[in-house]
Amino acid sequence: MVQLTLEQIQKKSLNRLVGLNPVFKIVVEKLIERCYARGVRIVITQGLRTYAEQDALYAQGRNGDKRPKVTKARGGYSNHNFGFAADFALLLRDGRTVSWDTLRDDDKDSLPDWSEVVEEAKRLGLEWGGNWRSFKDMPHLQMTFGLSTADFRAGKRPTQSQLNTILAKINSLKMEDEHMTAEEKAAFKALQKRVIALESANKLTKVPAWAEQACINAKAAGVLDMANDGSYDFYRMITLLDRAGVFKIREALHNDRLET
C-alpha cells in the first residue's frame, strides 16, 4: 500500500471542490480528513456542475444511448448545479486508482470502507444518495438545508443561521478530535472492531445482571448502539473495559466542553 499523507490525499480533490458553497466545502474537506483518520482514503470525483454538464449526464442511457443511466436530473434539477453536492470514490492501495466497490475493506477492520465513509458523512450532517428510494446514488452526498432545486433556481440560499449551525457542528467534532490522543483513538477503533466480531459470536438471550451497568456506560460513551444479543465473552470484555475506566473518556470530553 502506497503511504500518502493527509495533505497528499486532500490535493487529489482540490479541483473538484472549486465552486462549492464555502460551508459545504468545509464539510467535504472535514469528511476527507475524518475518513483518513479511520484508515479510509477517499477522493471527490464530482462537485459543481454546469447545466450543460448535467444535461450531458442526463442524456447517458437515454434516446438510444446504450450506456447505463447515471442520473434522473436534467440541468437545474441537481444540487450539483448549485454547489451543494459532491460525489466520492475510494482511493485504492496504489494511491492512484479509485473504486466504487461498496463492499471493499482495504483497512481490514471488518467494516466496508464505503460504510465508514457514509457513517462519517452522516455525523457531519450530510445526506447520502444511497438512502434514496426511487434512484439510489451511492457516491452522492449533499447538504440542502431544506431547500429544493426549485428554491435554488429561484435564487434562495441557506440562511446565515443555518450555515452557522453546521460550522458549530464542525467545530464540536474538531474539539473532540483534539481532546482525544492518538492512543485513545486507536483504542476506541480497536474496541469497535472487537465489538463487531463478538456480536456475531455466540449470543445470549439477555444481558447478564453483572454486565448491565457496564453496558449502560458503554452505550453512554457511544461505543454500543445496543446491548442485547451479545455473547458471554462480549459482556465480559465490556465489563472489564468499564472497570478499567475506558468509557469515562467520552464523559470527560463532554465535561471539558461544558467548562470551556
Side-chain angles (χ1 to χ4, degrees):
M1 180 175 180
V2 177
Q3 297 297 327
L4 296 175
T5 66
L6 174 59
E7 290 71 24
Q8 289 173 316
I9 297 293
Q10 291 170 325
K11 285 181 180 179
K12 291 179 178 292
S13 297
L14 282 179
N15 291 340
R16 296 298 184 182
L17 300 181
V18 174
L20 295 181
N21 171 270
V23 172
F24 179 68
K25 178 173 178 286
I26 291 173
V27 175
V28 174
E29 290 171 338
K30 192 66 176 177
L31 175 65
I32 297 171
E33 178 185 330
R34 291 183 68 83
C35 289
Y36 181 84
R38 293 182 65 154
V40 179
R41 306 184 301 182
I42 65 170
V43 292
I44 302 305
T45 59
Q46 289 282 301
L48 179 69
R49 294 188 198 130
T50 65
Y51 281 24
E53 289 170 334
Q54 188 68 38
D55 284 334
L57 283 176
Y58 180 79
Q60 182 174 320
R62 295 178 171 87
N63 300 321
D65 188 324
K66 295 183 180 180
R67 292 176 297 174
K69 294 179 181 179
V70 294
T71 181
K72 65 174 185 178
R74 293 185 173 88
Y77 290 82
S78 168
N79 290 303
H80 280 284
N81 303 148
F82 306 100
F84 287 91
D87 295 344
F88 73 92
L90 303 175
L91 183 65
L92 301 189
R93 299 169 71 86
D94 62 7
R96 299 186 304 274
T97 310
V98 297
S99 170
W100 288 267
D101 183 353
T102 58
L103 299 179
R104 196 176 190 92
D105 181 22
D106 275 349
D107 60 343
K108 308 301 181 186
D109 63 355
S110 301
L111 285 172
D113 296 342
W114 201 272
S115 297
E116 293 189 73
V117 178
V118 172
E119 182 179 307
E120 290 298 334
K122 290 181 177 180
R123 288 193 69 190
L124 291 165
L126 290 162
E127 177 187 348
W128 177 45
N131 284 336
W132 296 346
R133 294 182 179 180
S134 60
F135 189 97
K136 290 187 181 298
D137 193 350
M138 304 299 280
H140 183 90
L141 299 169
Q142 64 181 33
M143 183 174 283
T144 62
F145 301 89
L147 297 174
S148 66
T149 53
D151 292 327
F152 283 127
R153 290 195 301 276
K156 295 182 181 179
R157 293 298 181 268
T159 66
Q160 190 59 51
S161 176
Q162 289 176 309
L163 297 173
N164 289 342
T165 298
I166 295 301
L167 292 174
K169 179 188 286 288
I170 298 298
N171 288 333
S172 175
L173 291 172
K174 182 178 179 182
M175 286 176 59
E176 178 179 314
D177 290 343
E178 290 175 347
H179 275 76
M180 292 186 73
T181 66
E183 290 77 12
E184 289 168 343
K185 292 177 184 177
F188 265 95
K189 185 164 186 177
L191 174 61
Q192 289 173 330
K193 294 179 188 178
R194 181 64 174 155
V195 167
I196 291 168
L198 289 175
E199 282 182 338
S200 62
N202 299 323
K203 296 180 179 180
L204 302 179
T205 56
K206 61 181 296 186
V207 179
W210 48 265
E212 288 180 353
Q213 188 58 52
C215 289
I216 291 171
N217 295 342
K219 288 177 68 176
V223 176
L224 294 180
D225 58 356
M226 61 177 290
N228 295 327
D229 297 327
S231 67
Y232 177 88
D233 285 339
F234 169 80
Y235 293 122
R236 183 172 179 273
M237 180 197 69
I238 293 295
T239 301
L240 290 173
L241 289 172
D242 183 52
R243 291 174 181 173
V246 171
F247 303 134
K248 292 183 179 179
I249 294 174
R250 292 284 184 176
E251 181 181 353
L253 288 175
H254 177 69
N255 292 337
D256 284 344
R257 287 197 291 270
L258 290 178
E259 293 172 1
T260 56

